[in-house]
């Protein structure tokens, strides 16, 4: 096992495109780190740099106390699981798992022991004589993981390994990967664009955007205290509601604060932190007028999509100091009871559930 440290790692391609713009973080020995972000944010490029499949332009990559910038992938003592499984179609499952060990000159008895143990852990023992075309997608993924396990590497690298599986199988395999990593206690770095997958797998969550790290931390901490509006909107399903406010609105919202009336900002509210009232009821605290324009019932909960309510070109209910300005929002409520489409409602939220960001969205402001 080993820790992995990245120090000011950068990647610039010919032509001047900077894919990775100076990234620093550390993955502790035995920890499960997830790199998450939208397509094109640089997460797979960063993983490939750790693996040695991409050269770095500057900075250092340290695996187990050894700088590996100039070390070939085969000498880094890592094992990688790819999105497309990368199995040899003409080889049996056993030979796919044993191939890398044979190339390293390992003795046959040791190969047999390692392959059988990995097969037992992954419950693919009865499939060792089959070829990849005879396996389902989930079984192929287990074989790909088995090939990594038999290496007994210092670090596992996963490049979106579940993206080719159907939704139900993805959930099952996600659980299996986490159980396996805990059992083996091997350091792992995992790339995904699925924020739910990232939240459920990670010890350390690294949220990336445009070649930079937006936030690093415990998944729950990041969900509860996002550092930027990008993180607030990317982590969470449905995403956080973000409402731009000018200085006067902020001053009215947070009377008594020392904040200037000229200082604009962005207010954030998680959908589950809002509750709804009929528009005729008296509103206390923070409130937002809405006209319901869509409803999604998803079993134990309901998502209410609200747009600004108007009457004759004016807000249906006049705003008062302390009310949130109207805008597009999502309200998440338990059960399947919801107002009718077209109905006017008021969504309210307690102050301790509000989030405030700078006007450019790059900085969280503590309330």
């Amino acid at each position: 096992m080993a820790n992995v440290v990245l120090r000011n790692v950068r990647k610039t391609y010919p032509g001047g495109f900077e894919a990775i713009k100076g990234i620093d973080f550390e993955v502790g020995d035995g920890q499960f780190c997830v790199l998450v972000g939208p397509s094109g944010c640089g997460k797979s490029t960063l993983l490939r740099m750790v693996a040695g499949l991409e050269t770095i332009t500057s900075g250092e990559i340290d695996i187990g106390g050894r700088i590996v910038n100039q070390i070939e992938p085969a000498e880094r003592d890592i094992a990688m699981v790819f999105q497309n499984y990368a199995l040899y179609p003409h080889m049996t499952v056993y030979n796919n798992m044993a191939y890398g060990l044979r190339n390293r000159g390992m003795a046959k008895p040791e190969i047999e022991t390692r392959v059988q143990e990995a097969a037992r852990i992954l419950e693919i023992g009865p499939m060792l004589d089959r070829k990849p075309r005879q396996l389902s997608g989930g079984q192929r993924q287990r074989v790909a993981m088995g090939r990594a396990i038999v290496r007994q590497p210092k670090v596992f690298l996963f490049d979106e390994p579940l993206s080719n599986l159907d939704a139900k199988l993805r959930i099952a395999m996600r659980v299996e990967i986490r159980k396996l990593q805990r059992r083996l206690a091997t350091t792992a770095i995992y790339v995904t664009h699925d924020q739910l997958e990232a939240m459920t797998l990670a010890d350390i969550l690294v949220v990336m955007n445009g070649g930079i790290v937006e936030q690093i931390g415990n998944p729950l901490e990041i969900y509860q205290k996002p550092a930027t509006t990008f993180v607030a909107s990317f982590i969470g399903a449905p995403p956080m509601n973000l409402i731009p406010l000018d200085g006067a609105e902020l001053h009215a919202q947070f009377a008594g604060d020392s904040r200037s009336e000229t200082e604009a900002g962005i207010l954030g509210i998680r959908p589950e932190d809002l509750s709804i009232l009929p528009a005729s009821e008296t509103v206390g605290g923070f409130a937002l007028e809405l006209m319901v324009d869509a409803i999604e019932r998803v079993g134990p909960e309901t998502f209410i999509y609200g747009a600004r309510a108007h009457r004759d070109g004016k807000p249906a209910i006049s705003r008062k100091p302390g009310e949130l300005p109207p805008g597009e929002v999502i309200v998440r409520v338990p059960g399947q009871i919801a107002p009718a489409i077209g109905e006017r409602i008021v969504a309210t939220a307690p102050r301790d559930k509000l989030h405030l960001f700078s006007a450019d969205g790059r900085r969280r402001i503590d309330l």
Side-chain angles (χ1 to χ4, degrees), residues 299-352:
E301 58 192 8
T302 298
F303 301 144
I304 301 168
Y305 294 78
R308 181 173 182 170
H310 284 271
R311 182 183 295 149
D312 300 327
K314 298 180 180 180
I317 306 172
S318 59
R319 283 182 53 209
K320 303 171 185 177
E323 291 183 353
L324 304 178
E328 292 286 338
V329 300
I330 306 172
V331 183
R332 183 179 189 170
V333 297
Q336 298 186 14
I337 298 175
I341 292 177
E343 183 177 342
R344 289 183 173 87
I345 61 172
V346 174
T348 65
R351 181 185 171 110
D352 63 355

Side-chain angles (χ1 to χ4, degrees), residues 211-366:
I212 65 170
V213 171
E214 293 270 345
Q215 190 170 358
I216 301 174
N218 173 280
L220 187 57
E221 291 174 354
I222 289 177
Y223 184 82
Q224 293 177 335
K225 290 190 174 183
T228 66
T229 53
F230 172 82
V231 177
S233 60
F234 190 83
I235 300 297
M240 181 181 286
N241 299 300
L242 297 172
I243 305 168
L245 302 177
D246 61 30
E249 288 173 320
L250 274 180
H251 188 76
Q253 296 276 354
F254 305 104
D257 282 5
S258 60
R259 197 169 290 106
S260 168
E261 289 195 34
T262 62
E263 184 182 355
I266 299 173
L267 195 65
I269 315 169
R270 290 282 181 199
E272 64 269 23
D273 292 330
L274 286 164
S275 56
I276 59 172
L277 298 172
S280 58
E281 289 195 18
T282 303
V283 176
F286 300 99
L288 174 60
E289 305 169 39
L290 298 173
M291 178 179 287
V292 178
D293 61 8
I295 295 172
E296 288 183 339
R297 293 180 172 87
V298 287
E301 58 192 8
T302 298
F303 301 144
I304 301 168
Y305 294 78
R308 181 173 182 170
H310 284 271
R311 182 183 295 149
D312 300 327
K314 298 180 180 180
I317 306 172
S318 59
R319 283 182 53 209
K320 303 171 185 177
E323 291 183 353
L324 304 178
E328 292 286 338
V329 300
I330 306 172
V331 183
R332 183 179 189 170
V333 297
Q336 298 186 14
I337 298 175
I341 292 177
E343 183 177 342
R344 289 183 173 87
I345 61 172
V346 174
T348 65
R351 181 185 171 110
D352 63 355
K353 296 297 184 180
L354 302 180
H355 305 259
L356 184 61
F357 304 92
S358 58
D360 63 3
R362 297 297 308 157
R363 178 172 54 91
R364 179 184 180 85
I365 300 171
D366 290 329

Side-chain angles (χ1 to χ4, degrees), residues 11 44-56 61 63 68-80 82 157:
K11 174 66 177 181
S44 288
T45 298
L46 190 62
L47 189 78
R48 290 172 63 83
M49 291 163 73
V50 174
L53 303 177
E54 290 272 3
T55 58
I56 73 172
I61 297 176
I63 299 178
V68 298
N69 294 21
Q70 305 301 323
I71 296 176
E72 291 297 316
E75 304 301 320
R76 295 192 182 195
D77 202 4
I78 55 94
M80 192 162 181
F82 295 91
L157 304 178

Side-chain angles (χ1 to χ4, degrees), residues 2-286:
N3 62 339
V4 179
V5 184
L6 279 68
R7 303 185 184 99
N8 196 28
V9 173
R10 296 177 179 270
K11 174 66 177 181
T12 304
Y13 287 101
F17 173 65
E18 194 174 17
I20 303 295
K21 303 175 182 178
I23 286 180
D24 298 89
F25 66 84
E26 179 175 355
V27 185
D29 192 4
Q31 287 188 317
F32 199 117
C33 173
V34 178
L35 309 180
V36 65
S39 296
C41 72
K43 55 189 184 296
S44 288
T45 298
L46 190 62
L47 189 78
R48 290 172 63 83
M49 291 163 73
V50 174
L53 303 177
E54 290 272 3
T55 58
I56 73 172
T57 302
S58 62
E60 290 182 342
I61 297 176
D62 181 322
I63 299 178
R66 181 176 62 155
I67 306 301
V68 298
N69 294 21
Q70 305 301 323
I71 296 176
E72 291 297 316
E75 304 301 320
R76 295 192 182 195
D77 202 4
I78 55 94
M80 192 162 181
V81 179
F82 295 91
Q83 178 178 351
N84 62 357
Y85 316 137
L87 301 177
Y88 296 106
H90 63 287
M91 292 185 182
T92 63
V93 167
Y94 183 99
N95 287 331
N96 264 283
M97 294 170 66
Y99 183 74
L101 302 181
R102 288 174 181 151
N103 282 349
R104 296 167 67 182
M106 186 173 290
K108 287 184 178 181
E110 178 65 15
I111 293 175
E112 174 72 15
T113 298
R114 291 195 183 191
V115 171
Q116 292 295 342
E117 174 63 12
R120 184 186 63 80
I121 292 172
L122 295 166
E123 299 180 355
I124 55 174
M127 306 169 197
L128 291 177
D129 293 329
R130 300 184 194 177
K131 293 185 177 179
R133 66 175 179 273
Q134 298 171 299
L135 306 177
S136 67
Q139 290 168 339
R140 292 180 193 180
Q141 192 55 268
R142 287 175 184 267
V143 175
M145 291 195 302
R147 186 175 52 189
I149 290 171
V150 297
R151 293 276 307 278
Q152 298 181 1
K154 289 182 178 178
V155 180
F156 286 130
L157 304 178
F158 296 89
D159 189 7
E160 303 204 49
L162 307 183
S163 59
N164 291 332
L165 305 180
D166 61 58
K168 184 176 180 181
L169 190 53
R170 284 185 70 155
I171 294 172
M173 288 301 299
R174 187 170 73 212
V175 173
E176 289 301 318
I177 287 175
R178 193 62 176 108
K179 287 165 59 179
L180 178 64
Q181 190 272 337
R182 284 178 175 153
R183 178 175 180 175
L184 299 175
T186 304
T187 307
I189 303 178
Y190 186 106
V191 162
T192 182
H193 62 272
D194 185 327
Q195 60 89 24
L196 180 60
E197 199 169 281
M199 290 283 289
T200 54
L201 284 172
D203 294 319
I204 302 172
L205 191 57
V206 180
V207 184
M208 294 183 62
N209 181 33
I212 65 170
V213 171
E214 293 270 345
Q215 190 170 358
I216 301 174
N218 173 280
L220 187 57
E221 291 174 354
I222 289 177
Y223 184 82
Q224 293 177 335
K225 290 190 174 183
T228 66
T229 53
F230 172 82
V231 177
S233 60
F234 190 83
I235 300 297
M240 181 181 286
N241 299 300
L242 297 172
I243 305 168
L245 302 177
D246 61 30
E249 288 173 320
L250 274 180
H251 188 76
Q253 296 276 354
F254 305 104
D257 282 5
S258 60
R259 197 169 290 106
S260 168
E261 289 195 34
T262 62
E263 184 182 355
I266 299 173
L267 195 65
I269 315 169
R270 290 282 181 199
E272 64 269 23
D273 292 330
L274 286 164
S275 56
I276 59 172
L277 298 172
S280 58
E281 289 195 18
T282 303
V283 176
F286 300 99

